[in-house]
Amino acid sequence: MAIEILKIVGMSLIATFLALVIKEQKPNFAFLLVVFVGCSIFLMLVGQISDILHMIQKIALKANVNMVYLETILKIIGIAYIAEFAAQITKDAGQGAIASKIELGGKIIILAMAIPILTVIIETIIKLIPS
């Protein structure tokens, strides 16, 4: 794990310095470099993300958690990360207004996906309250 963070930090620092140098001559290439490095970092972490998902599924199976709820929660987390990643890239491109709309869209999709889980939680609470 420590080696992974060193790779990420090293690649990020090199890309940052290169982007600063290239930005003066070719700003478009500097932006593409930043996007490429961001995607590369994400791809470096795919294996660990997969391990985390498998671990969470094992824990959920042992706890007899309904897999539908677990899948929904994992999808919500994925949407949050994807929306954040896209918004940051859009902000780097100087398009803050579009980035705000990406974040808003992500939040609305997350809320829509969370409604069934919220409904079950509310129904469970209502059943626990004495009449």
Side-chain angles (χ1 to χ4, degrees):
M1 297 254 183
I3 293 174
E4 293 294 322
I5 192 65
L6 291 175
K7 288 179 186 177
I8 291 169
V9 169
M11 186 168 53
S12 299
L13 289 175
I14 291 169
T16 300
F17 295 133
L18 284 173
L20 289 173
V21 171
I22 294 171
K23 190 174 187 176
E24 295 176 12
Q25 302 294 323
K26 302 276 186 180
N28 292 339
F29 287 133
F31 174 70
L32 291 175
L33 173 67
V34 170
V35 171
F36 175 76
V37 170
C39 291
S40 297
I41 290 171
F42 176 75
L43 291 174
M44 287 173 59
L45 299 172
V46 167
Q48 290 183 350
I49 292 169
S50 176
D51 293 343
I52 292 167
L53 293 177
H54 290 300
M55 197 175 356
I56 290 172
Q57 287 176 341
K58 285 181 186 177
I59 293 169
L61 288 173
K62 287 181 183 178
N64 292 326
V65 173
N66 190 338
M67 294 307 286
V68 172
Y69 300 128
L70 178 66
E71 289 173 4
T72 302
I73 290 170
L74 292 175
K75 286 178 185 177
I76 288 171
I77 292 168
I79 289 168
Y81 281 129
I82 290 168
E84 176 69 18
F85 184 73
Q88 290 298 326
I89 289 174
T90 308
K91 286 178 185 175
D92 288 343
Q95 299 298 320
I98 295 174
S100 298
K101 303 315 179 274
I102 291 170
E103 291 170 347
L104 176 65
K107 289 174 185 176
I108 290 172
I109 292 169
I110 287 169
L111 180 61
M113 290 183 74
I115 288 175
I117 295 172
L118 292 172
T119 303
V120 170
I121 292 171
I122 291 170
E123 289 173 356
T124 303
I125 291 171
I126 290 172
K127 287 178 186 176
L128 294 174
I129 298 174
S131 300

